[in-house]
C-alpha cells in the first residue's frame, strides 16, 4: 500500500482520494481500506472521500505509481485538514481544532486501519494478532475477529499452487522415493555379500 500524505486547506477532517478502475473487483479492493479507516478514526470522512481518473490528476503520485506497480498495491492520497474536524452533538455540530495530540491519534488510527485491512484480506492471519489488540477500542473488524480455523495467509497456500507446480513437486517426490528404495536395495545386497563371505569355510577363503 502507498499513502501520499497531504494537508488540506479547504475541507475539514481526514479523507482519501483514490483511483477509479474499470475492473470491479480491483475497485472493490481499493475502497476497502478507507472503509476500515472510517471505523477507526472518528474524524475520517467517507463523504469527502472520492475516487477518480481525471486527466488533470495524472501527475499525482497515486496515479503514476498505480500505473506501474502490481495491481494488488493500492495507492491513495490521504488528506488531513489544517484546521480541524466536525463533531456532532445531538442536533448541533462543532469544529474540533487539530493539535499535535490529535494528529498523533489519527496516525494511530491509520495503523489500526492497516491492521484491520490486512487481517480482513488474510495477508495477516487474524489468529496471529494478540487478543488484547483484537479487543482494543477500534470499532473495525479487528475488534470482532473470530478464530474459525481458516485464517491462513493467502500467500502460497495449497490452492494457489498451479497444476504444473504440483506436477513438478509430485515428480520430485517420486524420484526421491525411488532413489531411497534403490539405496536400500543396494545396501541390503552388500550386507548379504558380506554375511555370505563370513560364512564360507576356512579352506574356501584360502583358495
Amino acid at each position: 500500500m502507498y499513502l501520499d500524505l497531504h494537508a488540506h486547506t479547504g475541507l475539514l477532517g481526514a479523507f482519501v482520494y483514490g483511483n477509479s478502475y474499470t475492473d470491479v473487483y480491483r475497485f472493490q479492493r481499493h475502497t476497502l481500506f478507507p472503509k476500515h479507516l472510517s471505523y477507526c478514526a472518528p474524524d475520517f470522512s467517507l463523504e469527502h472521500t472520492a475516487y477518480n481518473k481525471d486527466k488533470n490528476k495524472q501527475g499525482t503520485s497515486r496515479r503514476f505509481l498505480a500505473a506501474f506497480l502490481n495491481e494488488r498495491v493500492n495507492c491513495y492520497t490521504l488528506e488531513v485538514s489544517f484546521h480541524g474536524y466536525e463533531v456532532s452533538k445531538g442536533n448541533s455540530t462543532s469544529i474540533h481544532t487539530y493539535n499535535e495530540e490529535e494528529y498523533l491519534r489519527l496516525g494511530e488510527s491509520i495503523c489500526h486501519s492497516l491492521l484491520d485491512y490486512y487481517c480482513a484480506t488474510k495477508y495477516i492471519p487474524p489468529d496471529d494478532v494478540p487478543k488484547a489488540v483484537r479487543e482494543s477500542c477500534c470499532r473495525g473488524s479487528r475488534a470482532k475477529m473470530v478464530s474459525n480455523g481458516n485464517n491462513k495467509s493467502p500467500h502460497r497456500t495449497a490452492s494457489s499452487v498451479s497444476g504444473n507446480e504440483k506436477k513438478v513437486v509430485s515428480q520430485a517426490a517420486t524420484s526421491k522415493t525411488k532413489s531411497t528404495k534403490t539405496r536400500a536395495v543396494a545396501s541390503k545386497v552388500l550386507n548379504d555379500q558380506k554375511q555370505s563371505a563370513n560364512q564360507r569355510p576356512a579352506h574356501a577363503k584360502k583358495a
Side-chain angles (χ1 to χ4, degrees):
M1 184 178 295
Y2 170 80
L3 289 175
D4 184 18
L5 306 182
H6 283 252
H8 204 282
T9 58
L11 298 175
L12 295 174
F15 51 95
V16 157
Y17 289 140
N19 301 320
S20 180
Y21 301 105
T22 54
D23 184 343
V24 63
Y25 297 107
R26 184 179 183 183
F27 182 67
Q28 286 180 343
R29 290 196 305 270
H30 192 59
T31 61
L32 186 58
F33 171 70
K35 291 178 182 177
H36 283 287
L37 186 53
S38 71
Y39 298 151
C40 295
D43 51 333
F44 184 82
S45 173
L46 283 176
E47 181 181 355
H48 294 156
T49 294
Y51 305 91
N52 59 61
K53 51 182 178 181
D54 300 343
K55 290 184 178 180
N56 61 340
K57 297 295 183 180
Q58 287 181 348
T60 60
S61 59
R62 65 178 168 86
R63 290 285 299 279
F64 177 80
L65 292 175
F68 289 94
L69 297 176
N70 187 291
E71 66 175 20
R72 288 180 294 180
V73 179
N74 290 305
C75 301
Y76 307 96
T77 301
L78 177 62
E79 300 275 0
V80 183
S81 172
F82 260 129
H83 183 43
Y85 60 96
E86 288 186 339
V87 178
S88 298
K89 292 183 179 180
N91 296 328
S92 62
T93 59
S94 60
I95 297 177
H96 186 90
T97 304
Y98 276 122
N99 53 33
E100 184 177 355
E101 184 178 346
E102 289 287 338
Y103 284 126
L104 288 173
R105 190 261 315 148
L106 177 58
E108 291 179 355
S109 296
I110 293 172
C111 293
H112 291 162
S113 304
L114 287 170
L115 180 60
D116 261 355
Y117 171 80
Y118 287 118
C119 284
T121 54
K122 302 296 179 65
Y123 283 97
I124 297 178
D127 286 343
D128 291 352
V129 181
K131 183 178 180 181
V133 176
R134 297 202 306 266
E135 296 177 350
S136 63
C137 61
C138 182
R139 294 180 288 117
S141 61
R142 178 171 48 78
K144 302 177 182 178
M145 285 187 296
V146 178
S147 176
N148 57 9
N150 189 29
N151 295 325
K152 296 182 179 180
S153 171
H155 296 294
R156 305 303 298 166
T157 58
S159 60
S160 67
V161 179
S162 67
N164 289 335
E165 289 175 318
K166 289 180 179 179
K167 184 177 180 181
V168 171
V169 172
S170 177
Q171 289 176 346
T174 302
S175 177
K176 183 177 180 181
T177 302
K178 289 181 179 179
S179 178
T180 302
K181 289 182 178 179
T182 301
R183 287 197 298 268
V185 171
S187 177
K188 185 176 184 304
V189 170
L190 289 174
N191 289 333
D192 290 344
Q193 289 177 348
K194 289 180 180 179
Q195 290 178 1
S196 177
N198 292 333
Q199 292 174 359
R200 289 179 184 176
H203 63 84
K205 291 182 180 180
K206 291 180 180 180

